Amino acid sequence: NLAAGAKVLLEAGADATNSGNIGATPMSIASDSAAYAVMKVLKEAGWESSSGSKENVIKLNVMGSKEVAEINGDYFPKTPEEIPPAFSSVCQAQGWDTKQMWAKLNGLDLKSDTWFSHVENDSYIYWNRNDGKWWIDGPDGNGVWIVKGPSHAPPAHGWMHTTKGTLEGGPMVRTFRDI
């Protein structure tokens, strides 16, 4: 049942306003397909203002990175008040104000600016408000992979190496939500 599927996706944090690579929102696709029950679900959910959320993300898992194997593994959510240690190290080495740079790139809103910390090392994942991309930074704090995507969830595929500019050897990122 398409309507039931739409409801579950919205409850899981799907962004009902995202037009994706094809340039069509879920509402326009439902309308073009005469999927009236899906349209009703989207309207009831307030689809025009539903832009997804990171609030129910309980874990990210990165797998398949061949360039920097240390970034593979599980990542758990952290509040924006906590600044990744590796980010701090990079800022200090560059002579930047760490708190100011973190506020500029990640943001400090407790509801929307969650970032994710690797369970075994100082690698981290965050959505960069400056460029609208998700970043996977290695344990040294330097960016390894980036991908454009919505602020509420990193895309599974399409990660580009930050220095090589290639998708080759890119990771897959899985998002786990409490629904």
Side-chain angles (χ1 to χ4, degrees), residues 33-49:
S33 304
Y36 301 113
V38 172
M39 291 169 61
K40 181 179 179 195
V41 168
L42 290 168
K43 285 177 184 174
E44 288 172 355
W47 76 275
E48 293 168 321
S49 61

PDB file of all heavy atoms in Angstrom, residues 33-49:
ATOM      1  N   SER A  33       0.610  10.685 -10.644  1.00  0.00           N
ATOM      2  CA  SER A  33       0.251   9.266 -10.677  1.00  0.00           C
ATOM      3  C   SER A  33      -1.170   9.002 -10.195  1.00  0.00           C
ATOM      4  O   SER A  33      -1.584   7.846 -10.104  1.00  0.00           O
ATOM      5  CB  SER A  33       1.218   8.469  -9.793  1.00  0.00           C
ATOM      6  OG  SER A  33       2.537   8.683 -10.187  1.00  0.00           O
ATOM      7  N   ALA A  34      -1.892  10.042  -9.856  1.00  0.00           N
ATOM      8  CA  ALA A  34      -3.248   9.926  -9.312  1.00  0.00           C
ATOM      9  C   ALA A  34      -3.277   9.051  -8.063  1.00  0.00           C
ATOM     10  O   ALA A  34      -4.218   8.305  -7.819  1.00  0.00           O
ATOM     11  CB  ALA A  34      -4.220   9.404 -10.371  1.00  0.00           C
ATOM     12  N   ALA A  35      -2.213   9.164  -7.243  1.00  0.00           N
ATOM     13  CA  ALA A  35      -2.124   8.417  -5.990  1.00  0.00           C
ATOM     14  C   ALA A  35      -2.750   9.269  -4.887  1.00  0.00           C
ATOM     15  O   ALA A  35      -2.061   9.860  -4.049  1.00  0.00           O
ATOM     16  CB  ALA A  35      -0.665   8.076  -5.686  1.00  0.00           C
ATOM     17  N   TYR A  36      -4.079   9.324  -4.892  1.00  0.00           N
ATOM     18  CA  TYR A  36      -4.817  10.215  -4.010  1.00  0.00           C
ATOM     19  C   TYR A  36      -4.617   9.901  -2.530  1.00  0.00           C
ATOM     20  O   TYR A  36      -4.562  10.817  -1.705  1.00  0.00           O
ATOM     21  CB  TYR A  36      -6.302  10.209  -4.369  1.00  0.00           C
ATOM     22  CG  TYR A  36      -6.539  10.648  -5.789  1.00  0.00           C
ATOM     23  CD1 TYR A  36      -7.023   9.761  -6.741  1.00  0.00           C
ATOM     24  CD2 TYR A  36      -6.221  11.947  -6.192  1.00  0.00           C
ATOM     25  CE1 TYR A  36      -7.208  10.153  -8.061  1.00  0.00           C
ATOM     26  CE2 TYR A  36      -6.399  12.351  -7.510  1.00  0.00           C
ATOM     27  CZ  TYR A  36      -6.893  11.438  -8.435  1.00  0.00           C
ATOM     28  OH  TYR A  36      -7.058  11.843  -9.727  1.00  0.00           O
ATOM     29  N   ALA A  37      -4.471   8.635  -2.205  1.00  0.00           N
ATOM     30  CA  ALA A  37      -4.257   8.265  -0.803  1.00  0.00           C
ATOM     31  C   ALA A  37      -2.892   8.757  -0.318  1.00  0.00           C
ATOM     32  O   ALA A  37      -2.759   9.206   0.824  1.00  0.00           O
ATOM     33  CB  ALA A  37      -4.375   6.750  -0.622  1.00  0.00           C
ATOM     34  N   VAL A  38      -1.884   8.719  -1.179  1.00  0.00           N
ATOM     35  CA  VAL A  38      -0.558   9.238  -0.826  1.00  0.00           C
ATOM     36  C   VAL A  38      -0.627  10.752  -0.675  1.00  0.00           C
ATOM     37  O   VAL A  38      -0.058  11.324   0.260  1.00  0.00           O
ATOM     38  CB  VAL A  38       0.505   8.839  -1.880  1.00  0.00           C
ATOM     39  CG1 VAL A  38       1.832   9.529  -1.610  1.00  0.00           C
ATOM     40  CG2 VAL A  38       0.683   7.327  -1.920  1.00  0.00           C
ATOM     41  N   MET A  39      -1.347  11.399  -1.575  1.00  0.00           N
ATOM     42  CA  MET A  39      -1.508  12.852  -1.485  1.00  0.00           C
ATOM     43  C   MET A  39      -2.159  13.236  -0.149  1.00  0.00           C
ATOM     44  O   MET A  39      -1.745  14.207   0.493  1.00  0.00           O
ATOM     45  CB  MET A  39      -2.339  13.367  -2.658  1.00  0.00           C
ATOM     46  CG  MET A  39      -1.621  13.255  -3.999  1.00  0.00           C
ATOM     47  SD  MET A  39      -2.683  13.572  -5.434  1.00  0.00           S
ATOM     48  CE  MET A  39      -3.182  15.251  -5.131  1.00  0.00           C
ATOM     49  N   LYS A  40      -3.133  12.449   0.272  1.00  0.00           N
ATOM     50  CA  LYS A  40      -3.811  12.719   1.542  1.00  0.00           C
ATOM     51  C   LYS A  40      -2.833  12.586   2.714  1.00  0.00           C
ATOM     52  O   LYS A  40      -2.807  13.437   3.604  1.00  0.00           O
ATOM     53  CB  LYS A  40      -4.991  11.747   1.724  1.00  0.00           C
ATOM     54  CG  LYS A  40      -5.763  11.976   2.999  1.00  0.00           C
ATOM     55  CD  LYS A  40      -6.932  11.013   3.126  1.00  0.00           C
ATOM     56  CE  LYS A  40      -7.638  11.274   4.440  1.00  0.00           C
ATOM     57  NZ  LYS A  40      -8.534  10.225   4.825  1.00  0.00           N
ATOM     58  N   VAL A  41      -2.006  11.545   2.697  1.00  0.00           N
ATOM     59  CA  VAL A  41      -1.004  11.340   3.758  1.00  0.00           C
ATOM     60  C   VAL A  41      -0.029  12.515   3.789  1.00  0.00           C
ATOM     61  O   VAL A  41       0.302  13.044   4.852  1.00  0.00           O
ATOM     62  CB  VAL A  41      -0.248   9.999   3.559  1.00  0.00           C
ATOM     63  CG1 VAL A  41       0.982   9.912   4.451  1.00  0.00           C
ATOM     64  CG2 VAL A  41      -1.174   8.825   3.808  1.00  0.00           C
ATOM     65  N   LEU A  42       0.436  12.932   2.626  1.00  0.00           N
ATOM     66  CA  LEU A  42       1.372  14.048   2.550  1.00  0.00           C
ATOM     67  C   LEU A  42       0.742  15.339   3.070  1.00  0.00           C
ATOM     68  O   LEU A  42       1.377  16.097   3.812  1.00  0.00           O
ATOM     69  CB  LEU A  42       1.874  14.241   1.116  1.00  0.00           C
ATOM     70  CG  LEU A  42       2.798  13.150   0.590  1.00  0.00           C
ATOM     71  CD1 LEU A  42       2.995  13.288  -0.919  1.00  0.00           C
ATOM     72  CD2 LEU A  42       4.130  13.174   1.307  1.00  0.00           C
ATOM     73  N   LYS A  43      -0.512  15.587   2.706  1.00  0.00           N
ATOM     74  CA  LYS A  43      -1.205  16.793   3.172  1.00  0.00           C
ATOM     75  C   LYS A  43      -1.387  16.767   4.687  1.00  0.00           C
ATOM     76  O   LYS A  43      -1.170  17.764   5.367  1.00  0.00           O
ATOM     77  CB  LYS A  43      -2.556  16.939   2.476  1.00  0.00           C
ATOM     78  CG  LYS A  43      -2.434  17.410   1.043  1.00  0.00           C
ATOM     79  CD  LYS A  43      -3.794  17.477   0.371  1.00  0.00           C
ATOM     80  CE  LYS A  43      -3.636  17.856  -1.100  1.00  0.00           C
ATOM     81  NZ  LYS A  43      -4.910  17.786  -1.814  1.00  0.00           N
ATOM     82  N   GLU A  44      -1.784  15.600   5.226  1.00  0.00           N
ATOM     83  CA  GLU A  44      -1.981  15.469   6.674  1.00  0.00           C
ATOM     84  C   GLU A  44      -0.677  15.681   7.435  1.00  0.00           C
ATOM     85  O   GLU A  44      -0.679  16.160   8.568  1.00  0.00           O
ATOM     86  CB  GLU A  44      -2.577  14.102   7.009  1.00  0.00           C
ATOM     87  CG  GLU A  44      -4.030  13.964   6.602  1.00  0.00           C
ATOM     88  CD  GLU A  44      -4.562  12.551   6.749  1.00  0.00           C
ATOM     89  OE1 GLU A  44      -3.786  11.626   7.076  1.00  0.00           O
ATOM     90  OE2 GLU A  44      -5.768  12.361   6.516  1.00  0.00           O
ATOM     91  N   ALA A  45       0.441  15.330   6.806  1.00  0.00           N
ATOM     92  CA  ALA A  45       1.750  15.476   7.452  1.00  0.00           C
ATOM     93  C   ALA A  45       2.297  16.888   7.309  1.00  0.00           C
ATOM     94  O   ALA A  45       3.352  17.203   7.865  1.00  0.00           O
ATOM     95  CB  ALA A  45       2.734  14.475   6.859  1.00  0.00           C
ATOM     96  N   GLY A  46       1.585  17.739   6.577  1.00  0.00           N
ATOM     97  CA  GLY A  46       2.078  19.094   6.340  1.00  0.00           C
ATOM     98  C   GLY A  46       3.288  19.073   5.433  1.00  0.00           C
ATOM     99  O   GLY A  46       4.316  19.648   5.730  1.00  0.00           O
ATOM    100  N   TRP A  47       3.155  18.391   4.318  1.00  0.00           N
ATOM    101  CA  TRP A  47       4.281  18.121   3.415  1.00  0.00           C
ATOM    102  C   TRP A  47       5.047  19.365   2.995  1.00  0.00           C
ATOM    103  O   TRP A  47       6.246  19.308   2.762  1.00  0.00           O
ATOM    104  CB  TRP A  47       3.804  17.360   2.171  1.00  0.00           C
ATOM    105  CG  TRP A  47       3.086  18.237   1.180  1.00  0.00           C
ATOM    106  CD1 TRP A  47       1.771  18.572   1.188  1.00  0.00           C
ATOM    107  CD2 TRP A  47       3.657  18.898   0.060  1.00  0.00           C
ATOM    108  NE1 TRP A  47       1.480  19.396   0.144  1.00  0.00           N
ATOM    109  CE2 TRP A  47       2.624  19.619  -0.576  1.00  0.00           C
ATOM    110  CE3 TRP A  47       4.931  18.959  -0.480  1.00  0.00           C
ATOM    111  CZ2 TRP A  47       2.836  20.385  -1.713  1.00  0.00           C
ATOM    112  CZ3 TRP A  47       5.139  19.714  -1.622  1.00  0.00           C
ATOM    113  CH2 TRP A  47       4.091  20.419  -2.225  1.00  0.00           C
ATOM    114  N   GLU A  48       4.411  20.519   2.946  1.00  0.00           N
ATOM    115  CA  GLU A  48       5.094  21.736   2.490  1.00  0.00           C
ATOM    116  C   GLU A  48       6.145  22.219   3.473  1.00  0.00           C
ATOM    117  O   GLU A  48       7.054  22.945   3.113  1.00  0.00           O
ATOM    118  CB  GLU A  48       4.071  22.847   2.215  1.00  0.00           C
ATOM    119  CG  GLU A  48       3.186  22.514   1.031  1.00  0.00           C
ATOM    120  CD  GLU A  48       1.998  23.448   0.922  1.00  0.00           C
ATOM    121  OE1 GLU A  48       1.421  23.816   1.957  1.00  0.00           O
ATOM    122  OE2 GLU A  48       1.664  23.798  -0.218  1.00  0.00           O
ATOM    123  N   SER A  49       6.042  21.790   4.730  1.00  0.00           N
ATOM    124  CA  SER A  49       7.026  22.224   5.718  1.00  0.00           C
ATOM    125  C   SER A  49       7.777  21.042   6.325  1.00  0.00           C
ATOM    126  O   SER A  49       8.533  21.211   7.263  1.00  0.00           O
ATOM    127  CB  SER A  49       6.337  23.014   6.830  1.00  0.00           C
ATOM    128  OG  SER A  49       5.385  22.200   7.479  1.00  0.00           O
TER     129      SER A  49
END
